[in-house]
Coordinates of all heavy atoms in Angstrom, one line a residue:
M1 N -67.6 31.9 -37.9 CA -66.8 30.8 -38.4 C -67.7 29.7 -38.9 O -68.5 29.1 -38.3 CB -66.0 30.3 -37.2 CG -65.1 29.3 -37.5 SD -64.1 28.6 -36.1 CE -64.8 27.1 -35.8
R2 N -67.5 29.3 -40.2 CA -68.2 28.3 -40.7 C -67.3 27.0 -40.9 O -66.2 27.2 -41.4 CB -68.7 28.7 -42.2 CG -69.8 29.7 -42.1 CD -70.6 29.8 -43.3 NE -71.2 28.4 -43.8 CZ -72.5 28.2 -43.6 NH1 -73.2 29.0 -42.9 NH2 -72.9 27.0 -43.9
T3 N -67.7 25.9 -40.6 CA -67.0 24.7 -40.6 C -67.9 23.7 -41.3 O -69.1 23.6 -41.0 CB -66.5 24.2 -39.3 OG1 -65.6 25.3 -38.7 CG2 -65.7 22.9 -39.4
H4 N -67.2 22.8 -42.1 CA -68.1 21.7 -42.6 C -67.5 20.3 -42.0 O -66.6 20.2 -41.5 CB -67.8 21.6 -44.3 CG -68.4 22.8 -44.9 ND1 -67.8 24.1 -45.0 CD2 -69.6 22.9 -45.5 CE1 -68.7 24.9 -45.6 NE2 -69.7 24.2 -45.9
C5 N -68.6 19.4 -42.2 CA -68.3 18.0 -41.5 C -67.4 17.4 -42.3 O -67.3 17.4 -43.5 CB -69.8 17.3 -41.6 SG -69.6 15.7 -41.1
P6 N -66.4 16.8 -41.5 CA -65.3 16.1 -42.2 C -65.7 14.7 -42.8 O -65.1 14.1 -43.7 CB -64.3 15.6 -41.1 CG -65.1 15.8 -39.8 CD -66.2 16.9 -40.0
H7 N -66.9 14.2 -42.6 CA -67.5 13.1 -43.1 C -68.4 13.3 -44.3 O -68.2 12.7 -45.3 CB -68.3 12.2 -42.0 CG -67.4 11.6 -41.0 ND1 -66.6 10.6 -41.2 CD2 -67.2 12.1 -39.7 CE1 -65.8 10.3 -40.1 NE2 -66.2 11.2 -39.1
C8 N -69.4 14.1 -44.2 CA -70.4 14.3 -45.2 C -70.2 15.6 -46.0 O -70.8 16.0 -47.0 CB -71.8 14.2 -44.8 SG -72.4 15.5 -43.7
N9 N -69.3 16.5 -45.5 CA -69.0 17.9 -46.0 C -70.2 18.8 -45.8 O -70.3 20.0 -46.4 CB -68.5 17.8 -47.5 CG -67.8 19.0 -47.8 OD1 -67.1 19.6 -46.9 ND2 -68.0 19.5 -49.0
G10 N -71.2 18.4 -44.9 CA -72.4 19.4 -44.7 C -71.9 20.4 -43.7 O -71.0 20.3 -43.1
P11 N -72.8 21.5 -43.7 CA -72.4 22.6 -42.6 C -72.7 22.2 -41.3 O -73.5 21.2 -41.0 CB -73.5 23.6 -43.1 CG -74.6 23.0 -43.7 CD -74.0 21.7 -44.4
C12 N -71.9 22.7 -40.3 CA -72.0 22.4 -39.0 C -72.5 23.6 -38.1 O -72.4 24.7 -38.6 CB -70.7 21.8 -38.4 SG -70.1 20.3 -39.2
T13 N -73.0 23.2 -36.9 CA -73.3 24.4 -36.0 C -72.4 24.1 -34.8 O -72.3 23.2 -34.2 CB -74.8 24.2 -35.6 OG1 -75.6 24.3 -36.8 CG2 -75.2 25.2 -34.6
I14 N -72.0 25.4 -34.2 CA -71.2 25.5 -33.0 C -72.1 25.3 -31.8 O -73.2 25.9 -31.7 CB -70.5 26.7 -32.9 CG1 -69.4 26.8 -34.0 CG2 -69.8 26.9 -31.6 CD1 -68.7 28.1 -34.1
R15 N -71.9 24.3 -31.0 CA -72.7 24.0 -29.8 C -72.1 24.6 -28.5 O -72.9 24.9 -27.6 CB -73.0 22.5 -29.6 CG -73.7 21.9 -30.7 CD -75.2 22.5 -30.8 NE -75.9 21.9 -32.0 CZ -77.0 22.5 -32.4 NH1 -77.4 23.7 -31.9 NH2 -77.7 22.0 -33.4
K16 N -70.8 24.7 -28.5 CA -70.1 25.0 -27.3 C -68.8 25.4 -27.6 O -68.1 24.9 -28.5 CB -70.1 23.8 -26.3 CG -69.3 24.0 -25.1 CD -69.4 22.7 -24.2 CE -68.5 22.8 -22.9 NZ -68.3 21.5 -22.3
T17 N -68.2 26.4 -26.8 CA -66.8 26.8 -27.0 C -66.2 26.9 -25.7 O -66.9 27.3 -24.7 CB -66.6 28.2 -27.7 OG1 -67.2 29.3 -26.9 CG2 -67.3 28.2 -29.0
T18 N -65.0 26.4 -25.5 CA -64.2 26.4 -24.2 C -62.9 27.0 -24.4 O -62.0 26.6 -25.3 CB -64.1 25.0 -23.7 OG1 -65.3 24.3 -23.6 CG2 -63.4 25.0 -22.3
Q19 N -62.6 28.2 -23.7 CA -61.3 28.8 -23.9 C -60.4 28.1 -22.9 O -60.5 28.1 -21.8 CB -61.4 30.2 -23.4 CG -60.2 31.1 -23.7 CD -60.0 31.4 -25.1 OE1 -60.9 31.8 -25.8 NE2 -58.8 31.4 -25.7
V20 N -59.3 27.3 -23.6 CA -58.5 26.5 -22.9 C -57.3 27.3 -22.3 O -56.9 27.2 -21.2 CB -58.0 25.4 -23.5 CG1 -57.0 24.5 -22.9 CG2 -59.2 24.5 -24.0
S21 N -56.8 28.2 -23.2 CA -55.7 29.2 -22.8 C -55.9 30.4 -23.7 O -56.8 30.5 -24.5 CB -54.3 28.5 -23.0 OG -54.0 28.4 -24.4
S22 N -55.0 31.4 -23.6 CA -55.1 32.7 -24.3 C -55.0 32.5 -25.8 O -55.4 33.3 -26.6 CB -54.3 33.7 -23.8 OG -52.8 33.3 -24.0
T23 N -54.4 31.3 -26.2 CA -54.1 31.0 -27.6 C -54.7 29.7 -28.0 O -54.3 29.1 -29.2 CB -52.7 31.0 -27.9 OG1 -52.0 30.1 -27.0 CG2 -52.0 32.4 -27.7
Y24 N -55.6 29.0 -27.3 CA -56.2 27.8 -27.7 C -57.6 27.7 -27.2 O -57.9 27.9 -26.0 CB -55.3 26.7 -27.1 CG -55.9 25.3 -27.5 CD1 -55.7 24.9 -28.8 CD2 -56.6 24.6 -26.6 CE1 -56.1 23.5 -29.2 CE2 -57.0 23.2 -27.0 CZ -56.8 22.8 -28.3 OH -57.3 21.5 -28.6
R25 N -58.6 27.5 -28.2 CA -60.0 27.4 -27.9 C -60.5 26.0 -28.5 O -60.1 25.7 -29.6 CB -60.7 28.5 -28.4 CG -62.2 28.4 -28.3 CD -63.0 29.5 -28.8 NE -62.6 30.8 -28.1 CZ -63.4 31.3 -27.2 NH1 -64.7 30.7 -26.9 NH2 -63.1 32.4 -26.4
E26 N -61.3 25.3 -27.7 CA -61.9 24.0 -28.3 C -63.3 24.4 -28.6 O -64.1 25.0 -27.8 CB -61.9 22.8 -27.3 CG -60.4 22.3 -27.3 CD -60.4 21.1 -26.4 OE1 -61.3 20.8 -25.6 OE2 -59.4 20.5 -26.5
V27 N -63.9 23.9 -29.7 CA -65.2 24.2 -30.2 C -65.9 22.9 -30.5 O -65.4 22.0 -31.2 CB -65.2 25.1 -31.5 CG1 -66.5 25.4 -32.0 CG2 -64.4 26.3 -31.3
T28 N -67.1 22.7 -29.9 CA -67.9 21.5 -30.1 C -68.8 21.8 -31.2 O -69.6 22.9 -31.3 CB -68.7 21.0 -28.8 OG1 -67.6 20.9 -27.8 CG2 -69.4 19.9 -29.1
L29 N -68.9 21.0 -32.3 CA -69.8 21.2 -33.4 C -70.6 19.9 -33.7 O -70.3 18.8 -33.4 CB -68.8 21.4 -34.7 CG -68.0 22.6 -34.6 CD1 -66.5 22.3 -34.6 CD2 -68.3 23.6 -35.7
T30 N -71.8 20.2 -34.3 CA -72.6 19.2 -34.6 C -73.0 19.2 -36.2 O -73.2 20.4 -36.6 CB -74.0 19.1 -33.9 OG1 -74.7 20.3 -34.1 CG2 -73.7 18.8 -32.4
C31 N -72.9 18.3 -36.9 CA -73.4 18.3 -38.4 C -74.7 18.5 -38.5 O -75.5 17.8 -37.8 CB -72.9 16.9 -39.0 SG -73.3 16.8 -40.8
N32 N -75.2 19.3 -39.4 CA -76.6 19.7 -39.6 C -77.3 18.7 -40.4 O -78.5 18.6 -40.5 CB -76.8 21.1 -40.2 CG -76.2 22.3 -39.4 OD1 -76.0 22.0 -38.2 ND2 -76.1 23.4 -39.9
N33 N -76.5 17.8 -41.0 CA -77.1 16.8 -42.0 C -77.7 15.6 -41.0 O -76.9 15.0 -40.3 CB -76.1 16.2 -42.8 CG -76.6 15.1 -43.7 OD1 -77.7 14.6 -43.6 ND2 -75.7 14.6 -44.7
T34 N -79.0 15.5 -40.9 CA -79.6 14.5 -40.0 C -79.3 13.0 -40.3 O -79.4 12.2 -39.5 CB -81.2 14.8 -39.8 OG1 -81.7 14.7 -41.2 CG2 -81.5 16.0 -39.3
D35 N -79.0 12.9 -41.6 CA -78.5 11.5 -41.9 C -77.1 11.2 -41.5 O -76.7 10.0 -41.4 CB -78.5 11.4 -43.5 CG -79.9 11.5 -44.1 OD1 -80.8 11.1 -43.4 OD2 -80.1 11.8 -45.2
C36 N -76.3 12.2 -41.1 CA -74.9 12.0 -40.7 C -74.9 12.0 -39.2 O -74.5 11.0 -38.5 CB -74.1 13.1 -41.3 SG -72.4 13.1 -40.8
G37 N -75.3 13.2 -38.6 CA -75.3 13.3 -37.1 C -73.9 13.4 -36.4 O -73.9 13.1 -35.2
Y38 N -72.9 13.5 -37.1 CA -71.6 13.6 -36.4 C -71.5 14.8 -35.5 O -71.8 16.0 -35.7 CB -70.6 13.7 -37.6 CG -69.1 13.5 -37.1 CD1 -68.8 12.4 -36.5 CD2 -68.1 14.5 -37.5 CE1 -67.4 12.3 -36.0 CE2 -66.8 14.3 -37.1 CZ -66.4 13.1 -36.3 OH -65.1 13.0 -35.9
V39 N -70.8 14.4 -34.3 CA -70.6 15.5 -33.3 C -69.1 15.4 -33.1 O -68.5 14.3 -32.8 CB -71.4 15.3 -32.1 CG1 -71.1 16.3 -31.0 CG2 -73.0 15.3 -32.3
F40 N -68.4 16.5 -33.1 CA -66.9 16.5 -32.9 C -66.6 17.7 -32.2 O -67.2 18.8 -32.0 CB -66.2 16.3 -34.2 CG -66.4 17.4 -35.2 CD1 -65.4 18.3 -35.6 CD2 -67.5 17.5 -35.9 CE1 -65.6 19.3 -36.5 CE2 -67.8 18.4 -37.0 CZ -66.8 19.4 -37.1
V41 N -65.1 17.7 -31.6 CA -64.5 18.8 -31.1 C -63.4 19.3 -32.1 O -62.6 18.4 -32.5 CB -63.9 18.6 -29.7 CG1 -63.1 19.7 -29.2 CG2 -65.0 18.2 -28.8
A42 N -63.3 20.6 -32.4 CA -62.3 21.2 -33.1 C -61.5 22.2 -32.3 O -61.9 22.7 -31.3 CB -62.9 21.9 -34.4
S43 N -60.3 22.5 -32.8 CA -59.5 23.5 -32.0 C -59.3 24.7 -32.9 O -59.4 24.7 -34.2 CB -58.0 22.9 -31.8 OG -57.4 22.6 -32.9
V44 N -59.2 25.9 -32.2 CA -58.9 27.1 -32.8 C -57.8 27.8 -32.2 O -57.8 27.9 -30.9 CB -60.2 28.1 -32.6 CG1 -59.9 29.4 -33.2 CG2 -61.4 27.5 -33.3
S45 N -56.8 28.0 -32.9 CA -55.6 28.6 -32.3 C -54.9 29.5 -33.3 O -54.8 29.2 -34.5 CB -54.6 27.4 -32.0 OG -53.4 27.9 -31.4
P46 N -54.4 30.7 -32.9 CA -53.8 31.6 -33.8 C -52.5 30.9 -34.4 O -51.8 30.3 -33.6 CB -53.2 32.9 -33.0 CG -54.0 32.7 -31.8 CD -54.4 31.3 -31.5
V47 N -52.3 31.1 -35.7 CA -51.2 30.5 -36.4 C -50.0 31.4 -36.7 O -49.0 31.2 -36.4 CB -51.6 29.8 -37.7 CG1 -50.4 29.2 -38.5 CG2 -52.7 28.7 -37.3
R48 N -50.4 32.6 -37.2 CA -49.5 33.7 -37.5 C -50.2 35.1 -37.4 O -51.3 35.1 -37.6 CB -48.8 33.4 -38.9 CG -49.7 33.3 -40.0 CD -49.0 32.9 -41.3 NE -50.0 32.6 -42.4 CZ -50.5 31.4 -42.7 NH1 -50.2 30.4 -41.8 NH2 -51.4 31.3 -43.5
T49 N -49.3 36.0 -37.3 CA -49.8 37.4 -37.2 C -49.8 38.2 -38.4 O -48.8 38.1 -39.1 CB -48.8 38.2 -36.1 OG1 -49.0 37.5 -34.9 CG2 -49.3 39.6 -35.9
L50 N -50.9 38.8 -38.9 CA -50.8 39.6 -40.0 C -50.8 41.0 -39.7 O -50.2 41.9 -40.4 CB -52.2 39.3 -40.8 CG -52.4 37.8 -41.3 CD1 -53.8 37.7 -41.9 CD2 -51.3 37.5 -42.2
S51 N -51.3 41.5 -38.6 CA -51.3 42.9 -38.1 C -51.1 43.0 -36.6 O -51.9 42.2 -35.9 CB -52.5 43.7 -38.5 OG -52.4 44.9 -38.2
P52 N -50.0 43.4 -36.1 CA -49.8 43.2 -34.6 C -50.9 44.1 -33.8 O -51.5 45.0 -34.2 CB -48.4 44.0 -34.5 CG -48.3 44.8 -35.6 CD -49.0 44.3 -36.6
S53 N -51.1 43.5 -32.6 CA -52.0 44.2 -31.7 C -51.5 45.6 -31.1 O -50.2 45.7 -31.0 CB -52.2 43.3 -30.4 OG -52.9 44.0 -29.3
S54 N -52.3 46.5 -30.9 CA -51.9 47.8 -30.3 C -51.7 47.7 -28.8 O -51.1 48.5 -28.1 CB -52.9 48.8 -30.8 OG -52.9 49.0 -32.1
I55 N -52.2 46.5 -28.3 CA -52.1 46.4 -26.8 C -51.6 44.9 -26.6 O -52.4 44.1 -25.9 CB -53.5 46.6 -26.1 CG1 -54.6 45.9 -26.6 CG2 -53.8 48.2 -25.9 CD1 -55.8 45.9 -25.9
P56 N -50.5 44.6 -27.0 CA -49.9 43.2 -27.0 C -49.7 42.7 -25.6 O -49.3 43.5 -24.7 CB -48.6 43.3 -27.8 CG -48.2 44.7 -27.6 CD -49.4 45.5 -27.6
D57 N -50.2 41.4 -25.4 CA -49.9 40.7 -24.1 C -48.5 40.2 -24.3 O -48.2 39.4 -25.1 CB -50.9 39.6 -23.9 CG -50.7 38.9 -22.6 OD1 -49.6 38.8 -22.1 OD2 -51.8 38.3 -22.2
P58 N -47.6 40.6 -23.3 CA -46.2 40.1 -23.4 C -46.0 38.6 -23.3 O -45.0 38.0 -23.7 CB -45.5 40.9 -22.3 CG -46.6 41.2 -21.4 CD -47.8 41.5 -22.2
D59 N -47.0 37.9 -22.8 CA -47.0 36.5 -22.6 C -47.5 35.7 -23.8 O -47.4 34.5 -23.8 CB -47.8 36.0 -21.4 CG -47.3 36.5 -20.1 OD1 -46.0 36.6 -20.0 OD2 -48.1 36.7 -19.1
V60 N -48.0 36.4 -24.8 CA -48.5 35.8 -26.1 C -47.4 36.0 -27.1 O -47.0 37.2 -27.5 CB -49.8 36.5 -26.4 CG1 -50.3 35.9 -27.8 CG2 -50.9 36.1 -25.4
N61 N -47.1 34.9 -27.8 CA -46.0 35.0 -28.8 C -46.5 34.1 -30.0 O -46.4 33.0 -30.0 CB -44.6 34.5 -28.3 CG -43.6 34.6 -29.3 OD1 -43.7 35.4 -30.3 ND2 -42.4 33.9 -29.1
I62 N -47.0 34.9 -31.1 CA -47.5 34.3 -32.2 C -46.6 34.7 -33.4 O -46.4 35.9 -33.6 CB -49.0 34.6 -32.4 CG1 -49.8 34.1 -31.2 CG2 -49.5 34.1 -33.7 CD1 -51.2 34.8 -31.1
P63 N -46.1 33.8 -34.1 CA -45.2 34.2 -35.2 C -45.8 35.2 -36.2 O -47.1 35.2 -36.4 CB -44.8 32.8 -35.9 CG -45.3 31.8 -35.0 CD -46.4 32.3 -34.0
I64 N -44.9 36.0 -36.7 CA -45.3 37.0 -37.7 C -45.2 36.3 -39.1 O -44.4 35.7 -39.4 CB -44.5 38.3 -37.7 CG1 -44.6 38.9 -36.4 CG2 -44.7 39.2 -38.8 CD1 -43.4 40.0 -36.1
S65 N -46.3 36.6 -39.9 CA -46.5 35.9 -41.2 C -45.3 36.4 -42.1 O -44.8 37.6 -42.0 CB -47.7 36.4 -41.9 OG -47.8 36.0 -43.2
T66 N -44.9 35.5 -43.0 CA -43.7 35.9 -43.8 C -44.1 36.9 -44.9 O -43.4 37.4 -45.6 CB -43.3 34.7 -44.6 OG1 -44.4 34.0 -45.2 CG2 -42.6 33.6 -43.6
H67 N -45.6 37.2 -45.0 CA -46.0 38.1 -45.9 C -45.8 39.5 -45.4 O -46.0 40.5 -46.2 CB -47.5 38.0 -46.3 CG -47.7 36.5 -46.9 ND1 -47.9 35.4 -46.3 CD2 -47.7 36.3 -48.2 CE1 -48.2 34.4 -47.1 NE2 -48.0 35.0 -48.4
I68 N -45.5 39.7 -44.2 CA -45.4 41.0 -43.6 C -43.9 41.6 -43.8 O -42.9 40.8 -43.7 CB -45.6 41.0 -42.0 CG1 -47.0 40.4 -41.8 CG2 -45.3 42.3 -41.4 CD1 -48.2 41.2 -42.2
D69 N -43.8 42.8 -44.0 CA -42.5 43.5 -44.2 C -41.9 43.8 -42.7 O -42.3 44.6 -42.0 CB -42.7 44.8 -44.9 CG -41.3 45.5 -45.2 OD1 -40.3 45.2 -44.4 OD2 -41.3 46.5 -45.9
R70 N -41.1 42.9 -42.4 CA -40.6 42.8 -41.0 C -39.8 44.1 -40.7 O -39.9 44.6 -39.4 CB -39.6 41.6 -40.8 CG -40.4 40.3 -40.8 CD -39.5 39.2 -40.8 NE -40.3 38.0 -40.9 CZ -40.6 37.1 -39.8 NH1 -40.3 37.4 -38.6 NH2 -41.4 36.0 -40.0
R71 N -39.1 44.7 -41.6 CA -38.3 45.9 -41.3 C -39.3 47.1 -41.0 O -39.2 47.8 -40.1 CB -37.4 46.4 -42.4 CG -36.1 45.5 -42.6 CD -35.4 45.8 -43.7 NE -36.0 45.5 -44.9 CZ -35.5 45.7 -46.1 NH1 -34.4 46.3 -46.3 NH2 -36.3 45.3 -47.1
A72 N -40.4 47.1 -41.8 CA -41.5 48.3 -41.6 C -42.2 48.0 -40.1 O -42.4 48.8 -39.4 CB -42.5 48.2 -42.6
L73 N -42.4 46.7 -39.8 CA -43.0 46.4 -38.5 C -42.1 46.7 -37.3 O -42.6 47.3 -36.4 CB -43.3 44.9 -38.5 CG -44.1 44.4 -37.2 CD1 -45.4 45.1 -37.1 CD2 -44.2 42.9 -37.3
V74 N -40.9 46.4 -37.5 CA -39.9 46.8 -36.4 C -39.8 48.3 -36.2 O -39.8 48.7 -35.0 CB -38.5 46.1 -36.6 CG1 -37.5 46.7 -35.7 CG2 -38.5 44.7 -36.5
K75 N -39.8 48.9 -37.3 CA -39.7 50.4 -37.3 C -41.0 51.0 -36.5 O -41.0 51.9 -35.9 CB -39.6 51.0 -38.6 CG -39.5 52.5 -38.6 CD -39.3 53.0 -40.2 CE -39.3 54.7 -40.0 NZ -39.6 55.2 -41.3
A76 N -42.2 50.4 -37.0 CA -43.4 50.9 -36.5 C -43.6 50.6 -35.0 O -44.1 51.5 -34.2 CB -44.7 50.3 -37.2
L77 N -43.1 49.5 -34.6 CA -43.2 49.2 -33.1 C -42.2 49.8 -32.2 O -42.4 50.1 -31.1 CB -42.9 47.6 -32.9 CG -44.0 46.7 -33.5 CD1 -43.5 45.3 -33.4 CD2 -45.3 46.9 -32.8
S78 N -41.1 50.3 -32.9 CA -40.2 51.2 -32.1 C -40.5 52.7 -31.9 O -39.9 53.5 -31.2 CB -38.8 51.1 -32.7 OG -38.7 51.7 -34.0
E79 N -41.5 53.1 -32.7 CA -41.9 54.5 -32.7 C -42.9 54.8 -31.5 O -43.5 54.0 -30.9 CB -42.6 54.8 -33.9 CG -41.7 54.9 -35.1 CD -42.3 55.1 -36.5 OE1 -43.7 55.1 -36.6 OE2 -41.6 55.4 -37.4
Ligands
LIG1 ZN1 -71.9 15.2 -41.5

């Protein structure tokens, strides 16, 4: 995962990750630009499903992308 600094747009390095829940992770990043030195926390969370898991966790509910053919997906999951 590459992220750029919101202040100087320079590349950042991940210093720490914390799994808060099964669908939410916090990432601590530092800007590599020594003139900037910004340190911040970003969040990583699934937004939508592009291809369903073969071993889905029933407690995880992530919306299916509108780009997916829902009828084909329902048929595949019922087989
Ligand atoms: Zn920066």
Side-chain angles (χ1 to χ4, degrees):
M1 181 177 109
R2 291 196 58 99
T3 299
H4 288 85
C5 175
H7 290 286
C8 74
N9 203 33
C12 293
T13 299
I14 295 173
R15 295 295 178 202
K16 177 183 169 188
T17 65
T18 304
Q19 189 75 41
V20 178
S21 74
S22 62
T23 57
Y24 183 76
R25 176 181 291 267
E26 288 187 343
V27 181
T28 303
L29 300 114
T30 58
C31 177
N32 295 346
N33 179 353
T34 54
D35 291 333
C36 176
Y38 189 53
V39 180
F40 62 106
V41 175
S43 63
V44 178
S45 180
V47 175
R48 57 188 171 270
T49 299
L50 298 178
S51 177
S53 170
S54 297
I55 50 168
D57 182 332
D59 294 330
V60 173
N61 185 12
I62 300 165
I64 297 170
S65 173
T66 56
H67 294 90
I68 302 298
D69 182 343
R70 290 171 186 261
R71 283 180 294 182
L73 180 60
V74 168
K75 183 180 178 201
L77 291 174
S78 66
E79 294 176 348

